[in-house]
Amino acid sequence: LLFTGTKPFTKSHSNMPIQPVYGAQHPPLDPRLTKNFIKERSKVNTIPLKNKKASSFHEFARNTSDAWDIGDDEEEDFSSPSFQTLNSKVALATAAQVLENHSKLRVKPERSQSTTSDVPANYKVIKSSSDAQLSRNSSDTCLRNPLHKQQSLPLRPIIPLVARISDQNASGAPPMTVREKTRLEKFRQLLSSHSTDLDELRKCSWPGVPREVRPVTWRLLSGYLPANTERRKLTLQRKREEYFGFIEQYYDSRNEEHHQDTYRQIHIDIPRTNPLIPLFQQPLVQEIFERILFIWAIRHPASGYVQGINDLVTPFFVVFLSEYVEEDVENFDVTNLSQDMLRSIEADSFWCMSKLLDGIQDNYTFAQPGIQKKVKALEELVSRIDEQVHNHFRRYEVEYLQFAFRWMNNLLMRELPLRCTIRLWDTYQSEPEGFSHFHLYVCAAFLIKWRKEILDEEDFQGLLMLLQNLPTIHWGNEEIGLLLAEAYRLKYMFADAPNHYRR
């Protein structure tokens, strides 16, 4: 469901056979399988897809699949034949094959050694559950959860977990260089001074904030924490108490009739928030998210809760959790934390998310005018910086709204792994109007990054599939740094030059 004010645009209104969007954690689909699937679906449709133009935002919303849905509708019928258990002979044969494969690995350990010896000496292996998951997929997929909801979609791949959130650089660089240690010391000096120089802090934060000082830096950059060190403790105490005052005052109203729709939508969306990261599937974490989103929604009646806002809590939650957890947070059991710690994380996540949304609230009011303006601005910008890509979209009748709506609504969170979003937000919080104005140039740089792949696609469906499943699963600091540098270059060239910005 995509809510734009009071009228929902539902998936049931959709006629467009666009493959489900899997989000940033998911690898791209096999293009061969995808094209076969699209060809089969296109035979069913009586009107060719690429003849349908989105003449208005509302028409687009009526005729386009939900931008966030992964296909896990409540109405799915699990009693249908497609959900029946596997043939017992096939299951037994597969099980026997798996056991045989495992026994061979135990008998011949030198085989695994030979594969690792082929890796170059300077290559750093990233510890991630993704590797183990990938190696198992081919053998035991059939044995695990044959009735799982994921199998309701045709051709949906079994997707491994993402690399750890703490793996800030996926390209194999050392965890901390001498330069990074120097930068960390610079941050500590700034943060411990009597009154932190926020301009200097923004300048230092633009290339990224060290993990150790990110929580306090984000609180300062978002305007939640005062620069004066003497006032910080009292401010945090007061704001945290104020938040839990809202909980006592308003949270019980979720059961009232006029709040039922809001609470129900939040309750549906939260399990879909980073579904491949175990941290966000814990009941206690989901309860925290429900409270944060419900309180924000009823305190902002002009917009209320809109799908996509749930994603915006996650970077703050992870960053403030990392203040108390040294290990990888993606598998951390939050029940190990004290009640005071959990309350601090929850309240700080609420206030920092609120500060962020204050700057982009027109993205979420009725008909989402802020997003429409930004998508139009992106179209004009791309037409100036890469006319070939722009004309390619026009040739195959691809509307920018069809892929860039989600980029603006979710701040590219569905296109990038969470670790990359956290790094991106270091810069957004240090850049004036980072989440609104600068984000436009990041989206333009992100689009042009894939110009070769875009120009290689020569049909409407292929372009949409590419743009909704861009292969960023292994991105890290290096890729985000290059993206931000290009975005800054575009901003420098076009932001203050209206004649360049428009035709």
Side-chain angles (χ1 to χ4, degrees), residues 383-446:
S383 72
R384 301 302 295 163
I385 63 180
D386 198 323
E387 192 172 9
Q388 189 178 3
V389 167
H390 179 70
N391 289 338
H392 194 70
F393 288 150
R394 293 181 65 183
R395 179 181 178 186
Y396 294 105
E397 300 182 354
V398 172
E399 300 288 336
Y400 283 74
L401 200 61
Q402 290 165 328
F403 63 89
F405 180 90
R406 189 177 72 181
W407 295 11
M408 301 301 177
N409 190 78
N410 298 76
L411 299 175
L412 287 175
M413 287 193 65
R414 295 295 174 97
E415 324 313 317
L416 299 169
L418 184 53
R419 62 183 180 276
C420 292
T421 296
I422 290 171
R423 166 63 191 91
L424 190 66
W425 284 22
D426 288 343
T427 299
Y428 279 6
Q429 294 191 91
S430 61
E431 181 75 23
E433 297 183 310
F435 291 98
S436 53
H437 186 62
F438 187 61
H439 180 65
L440 169 67
Y441 296 95
V442 171
C443 286
F446 186 67

Side-chain angles (χ1 to χ4, degrees), residues 96 111 123 142 341 387 419-420 432 444:
R111 183 179 175 184
Y123 181 81
C142 297
M341 290 176 181
E387 192 172 9
R419 62 183 180 276
C420 292

Side-chain angles (χ1 to χ4, degrees), residues 14-18 37-50 52 460-461:
S14 171
N15 297 317
M16 184 174 291
I18 297 175
F37 172 69
I38 290 172
K39 284 177 184 175
E40 291 172 11
R41 289 289 301 268
S42 62
K43 291 176 184 176
V44 179
N45 294 327
T46 55
I47 303 173
L49 251 185
K50 64 180 187 177
K52 288 188 177 182
F460 175 87
Q461 290 93 342

Side-chain angles (χ1 to χ4, degrees), residues 52 65 73 75 117 136 148 164 192 222 235 237 240-241 264 279 310 379 389 425 430:
K52 288 188 177 182
S65 295
D73 294 341
E75 299 83 4
S117 66
R136 292 201 307 270
H148 196 280
R164 297 180 308 176
S192 62
S222 65
T235 299
Q237 183 180 343
R240 288 166 180 171
E241 287 175 359
R264 179 180 177 276
L279 171 69
N310 56 306
E379 181 175 356
V389 167
W425 284 22
S430 61

